[in-house]
Amino acid sequence: MKPLTADLLCAIVQAPRAGKHVPIVAAIARDLPDIQREHAINTPLRLAHFLAQIAHESDGFRTVTEYASGKAYEGRRDLGNTQPGDGIRFKGRGLIQLTGRANYCKFGKLAGLNLEAAPEAAANLLHVTELAALFWADRNLNPKADADDLEAITKAINGGRNGLASRRLYLARAKKATGA
């Protein structure tokens, strides 16, 4: 498998080598080799699917914080948002946009972080790639990637088919970049 460089990541989102996405791309390129080993994202197809999903969820590696306020998540017990202000406090952050108190608690514990007390840490570039890989592993997405099942992966990450066209486009580019 080709080593993944910042240039290849930029090619997936068709971004120039300068701009707002650069710090995010640098963090992914730095952390990805360890993440791939730890979470068995170790085939070109698995990597292509992982990259396509994080590219979409981060708006082409432009952000690790959801643009919306999070107010729409207020009172969403299915997300663990049981206290006033939880929707905004636990809005989407990270490369896979962790959303809701329950996800912050679960994946924070898995990463050895107290994301419940410091939810902004989910958007810290030191943690975003690891948190995305933990989410990927928790949802057992490698077998879906092996089956090249973009829709099943998208549903596991987002709950539906949100952004499927964008994810498909990123997947095609990621397959080319990884040789899948």
Side-chain angles (χ1 to χ4, degrees), residues 76-173:
R76 291 268 312 266
R77 291 191 178 283
D78 61 318
L79 296 173
N81 292 343
T82 58
Q83 299 176 26
D86 277 358
I88 293 168
R89 188 164 187 231
F90 298 105
K91 72 180 193 169
R93 289 188 183 89
L95 291 171
I96 288 194
Q97 299 289 307
L98 290 180
T99 306
R101 181 185 289 271
N103 279 324
Y104 276 71
C105 290
K106 178 179 186 171
F107 293 102
K109 284 179 187 171
L110 290 172
L113 303 168
N114 187 349
L115 295 180
E116 185 174 16
E120 301 80 18
N124 185 311
L125 295 182
L126 294 174
H127 310 302
V128 294
T129 311
E130 178 186 12
L131 287 167
L134 287 166
F135 188 96
W136 183 269
D138 180 74
R139 297 299 194 271
N140 196 28
L141 297 178
N142 279 337
K144 290 173 179 56
D146 294 341
D148 206 10
D149 193 343
L150 177 66
E151 288 190 33
I153 295 169
T154 299
K155 185 175 182 182
I157 289 174
N158 192 265
R161 297 169 45 106
N162 182 39
L164 194 58
S166 165
R167 295 170 203 265
R168 187 171 282 118
L169 178 63
Y170 286 135
L171 179 58
R173 292 178 189 159

